[in-house]
Amino acid sequence: KGPRLWLQPERKNSNGSVEAARWVIRDGGLKRSTGCTPGDLAGAEAALAEYIAQKHDPRRNVGQPSHVLIVDVLNVYARDVAPLHARPRESAAMIARLASWWGSPLEASRKAIGPKPLLTGFVSDINAANCHAYVAFVGATRSASRDLEMLRAALRHAQEQRILEGTVKVTLPPKSKPRERWLTRSEVAKLVWTAWRGGRSANGRSGEGDNWHMRRHLARFILLAVYTGSRKQDVLNASFVRHADHGFVDLERGVWTRKAASKAATRKKQTTIPLPTGLLAHLRRWCRAGQTFAVEFNGRKVDNISKAFRALVAECGLDAGVIPHALRHTGVTWAMQNGVELWEAAGYFGMTVQTLM
């Protein structure tokens, strides 16, 4: 039988003393007193819950891969490391996706695409065949690769914390070719013009002649991204009001601090940059119009622009390679075409000279 409560009755000891009735925990041949009287059932239940939690805590012993659950490894990583990441919510979502597949053998077998993976839920399941099966399950090579990198980091942390013994190899999919798509000036102009003039008619389709201007936030996003070569999230977090969680656009000094004060520093440098004169004029006008953020929709900050951007690209007849990050490539490419020095461009765009090349 598993851990359970048992009310030990009053009993007399050999020396004549009387031991009062107590709730005790029984687990196989183990018997442990909770110290709770018969009337304190709630306290006894709490003691039992604590005992069960301690019994199943993966930190208690170093285990072989065939004895350590993958969900235990992921849970420890989620508690210890993931909250310190630059984007903890995104890390939590990746861990949840990993756990839903690696930690649920039956569910993984049901959702598998192609040959069924042989999973038991333990770390020993991690091999090349199952890693390839996970990539097929996710469906997007880049996302699956990031997930598996997270799993590899969780395994290393488990080894450091003496939860896992030995090393386990995580097989990553081949790296995809770096994106080389950038936009010409006429392509950018078409995107901006379509977004600025486009609206939504009464039947729900895009069209002109109304005053709704439902996509002007896309035009602002494109202008800010191309002018500065900034990453998507930096543009969406750009605020005219100083706040610890957002980048700050100083309209008086004409300077944009792209990194939020509360955000941990990462390899993706978010340098503070001077704003081009033309862009600064746009930003000041948007602020006078009542905006708090550079990119707003219906007076509120935009958290995700990908879906609306895809629809705009399709309407303009551009290829699927035009994604928000292509605007960063565009800004960098235009700077190189204009003869900007490598070291100056690298500092402005927040990348190394090697990455720039």
Side-chain angles (χ1 to χ4, degrees):
K1 294 181 180 180
R4 61 199 183 281
L5 287 175
W6 178 60
L7 183 58
Q8 179 176 279
E10 179 182 286
R11 60 182 181 178
K12 290 185 179 180
N13 295 322
S14 57
N15 60 4
S17 62
V18 178
E19 188 176 338
R22 286 286 185 273
W23 284 108
V24 300
I25 297 171
R26 303 198 67 168
D27 186 7
L30 175 70
K31 187 170 71 172
R32 176 181 296 182
S33 174
T34 64
C36 299
T37 62
D40 189 12
L41 179 58
E45 290 175 341
L48 176 62
E50 183 179 359
Y51 170 81
I52 293 174
Q54 290 178 352
K55 178 180 178 180
H56 293 283
D57 188 347
R59 302 173 192 269
R60 288 168 58 88
N61 298 297
V62 179
Q64 294 291 332
S66 59
H67 292 81
V68 177
L69 290 169
I70 295 176
V71 289
D72 282 343
V73 170
L74 293 173
N75 279 332
V76 171
Y77 189 79
R79 290 199 301 265
D80 295 353
V81 182
L84 304 178
H85 287 177
R87 292 190 286 270
R89 291 177 60 186
E90 183 177 327
S91 296
M94 293 166 65
I95 291 172
R97 186 162 57 232
L98 284 165
S100 70
W101 197 84
W102 290 97
S104 304
L106 294 177
E107 192 72 8
S109 179
R110 186 176 65 84
K111 294 180 178 179
I113 300 174
K116 301 297 183 183
L118 300 175
L119 295 177
T120 61
F122 292 94
V123 174
S124 55
D125 293 340
I126 301 174
N127 53 40
N130 286 338
C131 287
H132 293 324
Y134 181 75
V135 175
F137 158 70
V138 174
T141 303
R142 186 175 179 85
S143 296
S145 181
R146 293 178 62 202
D147 288 357
L148 292 173
E149 288 175 357
M150 179 82 71
L151 177 61
R152 183 172 59 185
L155 291 169
R156 289 174 179 170
H157 180 69
Q159 292 163 5
E160 294 170 359
Q161 298 297 311
R162 297 188 57 78
I163 298 168
L164 179 65
E165 194 173 72
T167 58
V168 180
K169 182 180 179 181
V170 178
T171 303
L172 302 179
K175 286 189 176 181
S176 57
K177 294 181 180 180
R179 297 188 181 101
E180 298 179 353
R181 182 69 162 93
W182 57 277
L183 286 78
T184 63
R185 295 181 182 275
S186 60
E187 288 175 329
V188 171
K190 186 174 184 179
L191 286 171
V192 172
W193 183 254
T194 303
W196 191 258
R197 289 294 302 274
R200 191 173 68 185
S201 58
N203 59 10
R205 292 192 292 250
S206 61
E208 297 183 12
D210 57 27
N211 296 316
W212 289 16
H213 301 302
M214 298 295 289
R215 294 188 296 186
R216 286 195 168 182
H217 65 293
L218 284 172
R220 296 186 176 100
F221 172 82
I222 294 167
L223 287 174
L224 189 53
V226 170
Y227 264 110
T228 63
S230 298
R231 296 178 180 87
K232 175 180 69 173
Q233 211 56 45
D234 290 342
V235 176
L236 296 179
N237 284 333
S239 171
F240 301 130
V241 177
R242 193 183 297 274
H243 192 281
D245 295 334
H246 306 299
F248 176 56
V249 180
D250 189 336
L251 296 177
E252 293 185 7
R253 296 170 55 226
V255 173
W256 180 15
T257 304
R258 289 185 285 198
K259 180 182 173 299
S262 63
K263 184 179 178 181
T266 66
R267 289 180 298 177
K268 295 183 178 180
K269 300 176 182 177
Q270 297 169 283
T271 52
T272 298
I273 58 172
L275 291 164
T277 304
L279 177 62
L280 185 59
H282 283 305
L283 292 168
R284 285 171 174 165
R285 184 165 60 253
W286 301 344
C287 182
R288 287 196 300 269
Q291 291 185 205
T292 300
F293 292 90
V295 181
E296 290 185 356
F297 181 77
N298 285 343
R300 299 178 62 182
K301 177 180 179 295
V302 177
D303 292 325
N304 194 323
I305 207 165
S306 299
K307 184 176 179 181
F309 190 84
R310 282 197 302 271
L312 176 65
V313 168
E315 184 176 335
C316 291
L318 301 179
D319 58 272
V322 179
I323 60 175
H325 198 72
L327 301 177
R328 174 170 167 81
H329 291 181
T330 300
V332 174
T333 302
W334 288 5
M336 293 294 95
Q337 291 174 342
N338 290 336
V340 178
E341 294 291 339
L342 284 176
W343 64 267
E344 182 180 351
Y348 188 87
F349 295 118
M351 60 178 66
T352 64
V353 173
Q354 289 79 9
T355 301
L356 181 64
M357 293 298 294

